[in-house]
Amino acid sequence: MKIVVCIKQVPATTAEKRYTDDLRLDRTSAESVINPLDEYAVEMALKLAESGAVDSVAYLSMGPDSAAEALRRALAMGGDEAYLVTDPALAGADEWATARVLAAALDKLAPDVALMGMASDDARGSLVPGAVAAMRDLPLLSYGAELMLADGAARIRRLSASGFDIIEAPLPVVASVTDQVGEPRYASLKGIMAARRKPLETWSLADIGVDPGSLHGGAVTRMLEAKPPEAKAPTERVENVGADEAVAKIADWLAARKLI
């Protein structure tokens, strides 16, 4: 049984995000890392491998040549091999184009489970897992706090407001997991050294059978505007007054903002 974990290289969470003149995210202006939410998918896959539920764990990413660094980082955590789809036609790809390319690559790899994090840290759209499942005509098991594999089926435990749900589908499936699966492991020095020897194959769009012209220039959506969030108003403190006056001031503050 084989799992392919889809990962994305993104700017570091705390880095200042900058945009180019055509409103594309400038990925060269900040440190790049594995999408933090994808690390939970890596951890889930490695736990399944350690339990004997799967025979191999591979990684798949779409991005520029530099995305190979994220794949090597994942291989340092564990796993067997990695694949990078990179092509000039993918510059500025949106969620639809990303899903189309990942779906085609996954069709070629034919895993029992295509596993993803619940969202990417740069866009937070959470759209790609569902789009990939729809394009591959496979069941989607999303937002799992745990993924289990047995008897030719995949099952997730999904937390809800009232407890949790158990959702099951026959293999093959597309699945996504949340940060509830457990803290991702660190890459050891031994793992980092071993990752250098593990296979990492690079594919173009032609290698996965995708015509660049079918991607509509890499995006069917268009960025119209980007601006930083408004600065928060300075904190207001109520100090050195009696309890009754403090209550009155707080009530007035809430009433002025129509919160009470």
Side-chain angles (χ1 to χ4, degrees):
M1 188 175 294
K2 180 178 181 179
I3 285 185
V4 172
V5 182
C6 297
I7 67 171
K8 184 178 183 181
Q9 186 185 54
V10 299
T13 304
T14 57
E16 180 184 356
K17 309 302 188 296
R18 299 179 181 176
Y19 292 87
T20 59
D21 292 339
D22 57 358
L23 292 180
R24 291 179 178 177
L25 184 64
D26 183 0
R27 299 183 181 275
T28 64
S29 64
E31 176 192 1
S32 295
V33 298
I34 295 179
N35 173 40
L37 290 168
D38 290 342
E39 289 189 341
Y40 294 98
V42 173
E43 179 63 24
M44 186 72 258
L46 295 177
K47 285 181 177 178
L48 288 167
E50 290 167 351
S51 72
V54 299
D55 302 310
S56 68
V57 175
Y59 303 107
L60 170 65
S61 187
M62 185 201 88
D65 291 337
S66 61
E69 298 173 9
L71 289 168
R72 288 291 184 199
R73 174 70 179 181
L75 286 169
M77 295 169 68
D80 305 291
E81 58 194 11
Y83 302 85
L84 172 63
V85 181
T86 186
D87 197 286
L90 294 173
D94 63 2
E95 287 93 340
W96 177 85
T98 300
R100 176 97 193 288
V101 170
L102 291 179
L106 288 166
D107 282 344
K108 183 172 181 175
L109 292 169
D112 298 283
V113 180
L115 186 60
M116 307 182 192
M118 61 179 281
S120 64
D121 205 41
D122 53 352
R124 294 276 178 170
S126 299
L127 299 174
V128 171
V132 169
M135 291 174 181
R136 300 188 67 213
D137 194 25
L138 292 179
L140 171 67
L141 301 178
S142 59
Y143 299 104
E146 183 182 10
L147 172 65
M148 298 153 279
L149 302 173
D151 302 323
R155 176 184 294 179
I156 63 166
R157 181 172 59 88
R158 180 191 293 164
L159 298 181
S160 66
S162 58
F164 60 87
D165 302 320
I166 300 294
I167 306 169
E168 183 178 284
L171 298 173
V173 301
V174 176
S176 69
V177 292
T178 71
D179 57 3
Q180 299 297 313
V181 303
E183 194 67 23
R185 65 195 65 191
Y186 288 101
S188 65
L189 178 59
K190 181 179 178 180
I192 293 171
M193 298 298 292
R196 298 177 181 177
R197 300 188 296 272
K198 294 178 181 179
L200 196 163
E201 191 169 344
T202 299
W203 291 340
S204 66
L205 288 177
D207 292 326
I208 59 174
V210 174
D211 176 10
S214 69
L215 297 178
H216 304 283
V220 294
T221 56
R222 187 160 55 97
M223 179 76 77
L224 300 179
E225 183 182 7
K227 59 182 180 181
E230 295 181 4
K232 293 183 178 180
T235 302
E236 298 181 35
R237 300 173 65 92
V238 178
E239 298 179 301
N240 302 320
V241 297
D244 291 342
E245 186 177 353
V247 170
K249 285 181 176 292
I250 293 171
D252 290 343
W253 189 92
L254 292 172
R257 290 157 180 78
K258 299 182 179 180
L259 299 174
I260 58 173

